[in-house]
Each structure stands twice: as C-alpha cells, then as structure tokens.
C-alpha cells in the first residue's frame, strides 16, 4: 500500500479529494508491477492477490488468481426494506422504486462461490475501474 501511495504522490495526486479512476489505476498497476519484479528478482513467482482502492469518487479493483466478482446497480426496482412488513390479511404493498441508486458491488476471496445472480467475474490479471459517473472499464494488469 505504501508503494501504491508513493506512485500517487509521484503523480501529484495524494492531496486531491477527487483523484479519479485513471491515476488510481495507474498507481496500483505500477505498484503491483514493481512488487512482481522484485519477487522475480528474488526467485519467486508473482503472488495471487486482490486489491480494492477507493477515493470516495472512484473505485479500482485489481486481482490475479484470487476470484473477484462485481455487479453494477442502476436503480432498485423493488426495495424490500421500503415495502416493510405486511400485516396478515392486508393487501400487498406496491413496489417501491429507487431510480437514483447507483452502486458497484464487489465480492472477492478464495471462498467465493461461482458468480451468479447478476454478478460478473473479473478476468484473471485484470483491473476494473469505476469512475464517478459509474462508468466501468476493464483492462489487463
């Protein structure tokens, strides 16, 4: 993480509130590349990992070997929490919509089951970037 921050610092991005997905992605990819190179020089293969970095406005996820799934949420069609509980004999409540809800859900880890129910698996050795407008971009590590 310190190496990642040093690359952000070198790019003049550490003190900014809204860094943006691209500089975060570049710093993370450079940090992983440097650790990989140091590992190779020591006679080791690059290690499996999953990393998530966010600045409050953007999100960057990188992974190698470790499974990572993601799901983009563009509004809620039927919010179960807002519908609440129904009294016996009462008519079912109308669906409650939240069209303005935007999110990207990340699930990661070795025990992660196969992606399903709207989740997509991030390809091995890839980076997922999510910008402040919830634009998604995937590129190689």
């Amino acid at each position: 993480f310190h190496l990642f921050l040093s690359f952000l610092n070198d790019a003049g991005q550490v003190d900014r509130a809204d860094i943006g997905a691209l500089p975060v992605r570049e710093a993370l990819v450079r940090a992983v590349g440097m650790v990989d190179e140091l590992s190779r020089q020591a006679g080791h293969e690059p290690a499996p990992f999953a990393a998530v970095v966010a600045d409050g406005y953007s999100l960057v996820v990188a992974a190698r070997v470790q499974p990572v799934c993601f799901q983009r949420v563009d509004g809620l069609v039927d919010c179960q929490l807002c519908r609440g509980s129904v009294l016996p004999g009462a008519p079912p409540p109308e669906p409650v919509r939240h069209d303005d809800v935007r999110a990207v859900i990340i699930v990661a880890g070795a025990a992660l089951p196969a992606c399903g129910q709207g989740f997509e698996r991030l390809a091995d050795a890839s980076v997922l970037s999510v910008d402040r407008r919830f634009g998604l971009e995937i590129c190689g590590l």
Side-chain angles (χ1 to χ4, degrees):
F1 184 72
H2 179 75
L3 188 57
F4 161 73
L5 287 179
S6 73
F7 284 123
L8 274 181
N9 185 56
D10 291 349
Q13 301 294 325
V14 171
D15 293 331
R16 293 187 54 209
D18 182 2
I19 297 170
L22 182 60
V24 172
R25 182 180 73 207
E26 289 173 350
L28 186 57
V29 168
R30 288 182 66 196
V32 169
M34 181 173 265
V35 170
D36 287 351
E37 182 57 31
L38 293 171
S39 295
R40 284 187 196 92
Q41 290 175 9
H44 303 288
E45 290 295 315
F49 78 96
V52 178
V53 181
D55 68 359
Y57 299 97
S58 57
L59 175 78
V60 177
V61 181
R64 178 175 48 234
V65 179
Q66 293 294 323
V68 173
C69 290
F70 63 95
Q71 181 181 47
R72 183 178 174 155
V73 176
D74 287 313
L76 296 175
V77 176
D78 186 10
C79 180
Q80 297 300 313
L81 292 175
C82 290
R83 287 179 77 179
S85 61
V86 179
L87 296 173
E94 293 293 317
V96 178
R97 297 180 61 94
H98 295 290
D99 294 327
D100 56 342
V101 171
R102 301 285 180 266
V104 176
I105 301 169
I106 306 293
V107 181
L112 182 73
C115 294
Q117 298 178 345
F119 280 87
E120 188 175 333
R121 187 170 186 145
L122 183 64
D124 187 38
S126 292
V127 181
L128 167 68
S129 302
V130 184
D131 65 24
R132 67 181 0 245
R133 293 188 176 108
F134 289 97
L136 276 65
E137 182 179 350
I138 298 174
C139 63
L141 187 58

